[in-house]
Amino acid sequence: MSVTTACVSAILCVITAPGNLLICWAIIKDPNNELKSSFNYLILNLAIADSFIGVVTEPVFVWYHTSEAMKYEVLGLRWLVYMSYFMTSTASVLSIAALATDRYLALTSTTIRKLSSSSAITVSIAIWIFSCGLPFLYFETGFYTLAFVFANTTIILTLILLVFYFARIVKSLNAHEKKMRSVLGMEARRQGFHREKKATRSFLFILVGFFVCSFPSCVMIYVINLCSTCSCDVIHWFRDLQYLSVLINSSCNQFLYAWRMKGFRRAFRRIHPLFVCWEEQERRSTVSQLPSNAT
C-alpha cells in the first residue's frame, strides 16, 4: 500500500502542480484584462491551495510513503505529513464552499448579485487562517481524531452546504428562465443570466467531483475511527485511500473549471504559444466533425 500511495502521489504531483500554477499566473497577469472578478479571485484561492498540494503535500507524501515502504524510520516526521495534508486540503475544500456561495448569491436574487472583490479577498484570508490553525490540533488529538474533526467540520458541512446551494440554484435558474421568456426588451439582463447560468453549469462539475472524491474519504474516516474489529492492514489501506481521494479531487479541480472556460484559455494562449497550437488543433477537430453542409 505504501508503494501504491507513493506512485499515485507522484503522478498526481505532475498533474496538480503545473496546471494550478498556470491558473494562478493567468489570473495574476491577466493578459486580456478579463479575469479580474470576485469569482476568479476565489478560483485563484482554490488554485493556490491546490498548487500547495501539488508542490508541497504530494511530494511529501511520495517521500514519506517511499520511506515507509523501504522500512526507514519515519515516525518522527509524521507531523509534517499530517500538517501539510490537513492545511492544504482544508483550504481547498473551503475554497470550493466559497465558490458555491458566490454562485448562490449570483443566481438566487432578482438582480445579478455576487461577492465583491474585497469580500472575496477577505474570505480567502479567513479560509487560510482557519486552514493554518486546524492542523495544530494534531499535537493534542493525534491523526485519527483530527481526521474525524476534519471530516465533520470541513467535508460534511461543505457537502451539506453544496447540496443546499445546488437545489436553490436549480430552482432559481428555472424561475429566471420562465421570467425571461415572458419579458421582452430585456436582452442585456437575459444575456447576463445566460452567462451566469453557463458559469454555474461549469461549476457544477466541481461539485460533482467534490462529492465523488470526498464522500468515500469521509466514509473511510468514519470506519477508521469507529470500527473496533478492523485489522491494522484495513486501517492502513483506508488511511491511505482517504488521503488519495482528497488529493485526486484537488488534481481534478483545474480541469473542472478553469480549463473549461474561454476566458482562461484565451489567457493561456497569450501566456505561452504552445496553447495557441493546442487551441487551433481543437478548433480543426471540431470543424472536421461537422456535417459537410454545416461547414
Side-chain angles (χ1 to χ4, degrees):
M1 186 61 211
S2 297
V3 173
T4 301
T5 304
C7 292
V8 174
S9 297
I11 295 172
L12 292 176
C13 178
V14 174
I15 297 173
T16 305
N20 282 289
L21 289 172
L22 182 62
I23 292 170
C24 295
W25 187 11
I27 296 175
I28 293 172
K29 188 175 181 179
D30 193 11
N32 298 316
N33 296 318
E34 58 180 347
L35 297 180
K36 292 293 192 297
S37 68
S38 59
F39 187 65
N40 286 338
Y41 288 148
L42 295 175
I43 286 291
L44 174 62
N45 196 58
L46 175 63
I48 290 173
D50 291 340
S51 295
F52 273 112
I53 288 176
V55 174
V56 178
T57 303
E58 287 165 350
V60 168
F61 269 42
V62 173
W63 164 79
Y64 176 83
H65 289 94
T66 300
S67 300
E68 189 177 59
M70 298 178 69
K71 309 298 183 182
Y72 292 159
E73 178 60 44
V74 293
L75 294 178
L77 293 176
R78 281 187 177 179
W79 65 271
L80 178 62
V81 179
Y82 299 147
M83 292 284 286
S84 171
Y85 170 74
F86 285 114
M87 183 181 301
T88 54
S89 298
T90 300
S92 181
V93 171
L94 293 181
S95 295
I96 292 176
L99 285 165
T101 301
D102 182 89
R103 292 299 88 196
Y104 174 74
L105 292 176
L107 290 165
T108 56
S109 59
T110 55
T111 59
I112 298 177
R113 177 168 56 98
K114 59 185 73 176
L115 293 174
S116 65
S117 296
S118 59
S119 297
I121 294 172
T122 301
V123 168
S124 298
I125 294 173
I127 286 173
W128 280 103
I129 291 174
F130 180 81
S131 301
C132 291
L134 180 66
F136 283 95
L137 290 175
Y138 166 75
F139 297 107
E140 295 292 331
T141 64
F143 167 74
Y144 295 117
T145 301
L146 178 56
F148 194 73
V149 173
F150 171 72
N152 287 277
T153 61
T154 305
I155 296 179
I156 292 295
L157 289 180
T158 299
L159 279 174
I160 293 173
L161 192 68
L162 297 184
V163 170
F164 171 75
Y165 283 167
F166 176 76
R168 291 296 302 273
I169 285 172
V170 170
K171 182 179 179 180
S172 178
L173 279 174
N174 291 334
H176 283 153
E177 284 183 350
K178 292 179 180 179
K179 183 178 179 180
M180 290 302 102
R181 291 194 193 103
S182 61
V183 178
L184 298 177
M186 301 181 66
E187 185 64 25
R189 181 178 296 182
R190 185 157 48 244
Q191 289 179 356
F193 281 125
H194 176 72
R195 286 192 298 269
E196 295 294 341
K197 180 180 178 180
K198 186 175 180 180
T200 300
R201 186 185 297 115
S202 298
F203 179 67
L204 290 180
F205 286 101
I206 289 183
L207 306 190
V208 173
F210 178 79
F211 180 84
V212 170
C213 294
S214 298
F215 183 74
S217 173
C218 198
V219 171
M220 285 183 279
I221 289 174
Y222 270 82
V223 172
I224 289 171
N225 280 273
L226 302 179
C227 181
S228 58
T229 60
C230 295
S231 67
C232 291
D233 288 339
V234 171
I235 297 298
H236 187 185
W237 275 90
F238 275 22
R239 183 202 69 177
D240 286 14
L241 287 174
Q242 72 87 19
Y243 283 154
L244 294 177
S245 62
V246 174
L247 298 183
I248 288 172
N249 183 65
S250 296
S251 295
C252 292
N253 284 337
Q254 55 183 314
F255 303 109
L256 294 174
Y257 184 77
W259 286 87
R260 292 171 49 86
M261 304 300 290
K262 292 181 179 179
F264 280 95
R265 293 205 298 268
R266 284 193 291 267
F268 296 154
R269 290 199 302 269
R270 291 289 298 274
I271 289 173
H272 199 283
L274 174 64
F275 297 102
V276 178
C277 299
W278 171 69
E279 189 76 10
E280 181 64 22
Q281 290 177 354
E282 185 182 67
R283 188 190 65 80
R284 289 178 179 176
S285 176
T286 302
V287 172
S288 66
Q289 294 175 5
L290 293 174
S292 58
N293 59 347
T295 57

